[in-house]
Amino acid sequence: MAPPPPAEEEGAAGGRCGGVVARWARREVLLGLALGQFVSLLITSTGFASSELARRGINAPTSQSLLNYILLALAYGGVLLYRRQPLTIKWYYYLILGIIDVEANYIVVKSYQYTSLTSVMLLDCWSIPCVIVLTWIFLKTKYGLRKFFGVGVCVAGLILVVFSDVHASDRAKGPNPLKGDLLVIVGSMLYACSNVTEEYVIKKSNRVELMAMLGLFGAIISGIQISILERKELHSITWNAGAVLPFLGYAVAMFLFYSTVPTVLKICGATMLNLSLLTSDMWAVLIRIFAYHEKVDWIYFVAFAATSAGILIYSYRDSKEVEDTAQVAGASDEQGKQGDEEAGTQNPA
């Protein structure tokens, strides 16, 4: 074993190493933020499509998600079949994930029938404390007091939204805003379960397998649910451009969202994914003002300020946290490279 370097050399090496870690972490953070904003825009697009369908009286939430699952199954399932790789995780785990994901989409899309687009976007922050609890219990993720405080500020913004929906009467807020808000909260809890499960799977398996199996089981479950709950609704829809375009727009946005989320989960984790999605509130407010010409309560801006402050408090890291993140991510990348090499050895082209 080589003797330890002198203190000056060790300090210089530590400085160089710290600079490399800082630059690496900066690149990863910027990539994570950029992808987070991309999926945030996609979520806003799905909200816009769902709100437009609800405005036209179309109530078929499961049917909206079916095409997305079919696209996932065809695109990623084809790659999985081409590789001829055995599943790295038992199929029934993907079945459970598919059930959770389908029902989360169903409940959240259903909420657009009762409350406003902006309320749905803001109330999604309820998934954050749910994700923290689940990752702490099942993934053993450690959180400091500062992160809990940041989440608490985000939840305070959520409470403001519910208060505004119940008591405000001078704006278009849907026929039953309280019911819609409760549906969003339940859906957010299911989304949290889905995100944490996907984070676990993506670290044990790979993105192609996850998306292929989620698309397969999601399509099967959606088809069964449509045959039971939405047959009459589909027959009653007048399939003109005003109905078809939102359906297609929702499916394409969801396909891109599902394809990008595993990468965000690998870089940032489930909690930061959900925090990044909170910026979709800003896009939702802009859509509401310029597309629907609706009046927005001042309390929404207070709620958005609270959630933004919560994100900043949570995302701040000191130097030790940045270095730990770099080490963990580097180890994860090394494991991923080893897995790719093993897969290439077992399944040569």
Side-chain angles (χ1 to χ4, degrees), residues 161-223:
V161 175
V162 176
F163 178 82
S164 175
D165 271 344
V166 172
H167 295 282
S169 58
D170 59 344
R171 60 182 175 85
K173 58 182 183 297
N176 193 338
L178 181 58
K179 181 178 180 179
D181 291 348
L182 292 176
L183 286 175
V184 179
I185 291 174
V186 173
S188 297
M189 295 171 67
L190 292 177
Y191 275 140
C193 296
S194 177
N195 291 157
V196 173
T197 305
E198 287 182 24
E199 181 181 352
Y200 173 80
V201 171
I202 200 63
K203 291 178 179 178
K204 298 291 184 180
S205 178
N206 60 78
R207 183 170 70 100
V208 173
E209 179 179 314
L210 171 62
M211 292 294 99
M213 299 305 293
L214 179 58
L216 174 64
F217 287 113
I220 294 173
I221 296 166
S222 296

Side-chain angles (χ1 to χ4, degrees), residues 282-299:
M282 175 182 65
W283 307 115
V285 169
L286 292 177
I287 288 176
R288 184 170 178 177
I289 293 174
F290 295 105
Y292 293 109
H293 305 289
E294 294 180 6
K295 182 180 179 181
V296 178
D297 289 339
W298 63 269
I299 201 168

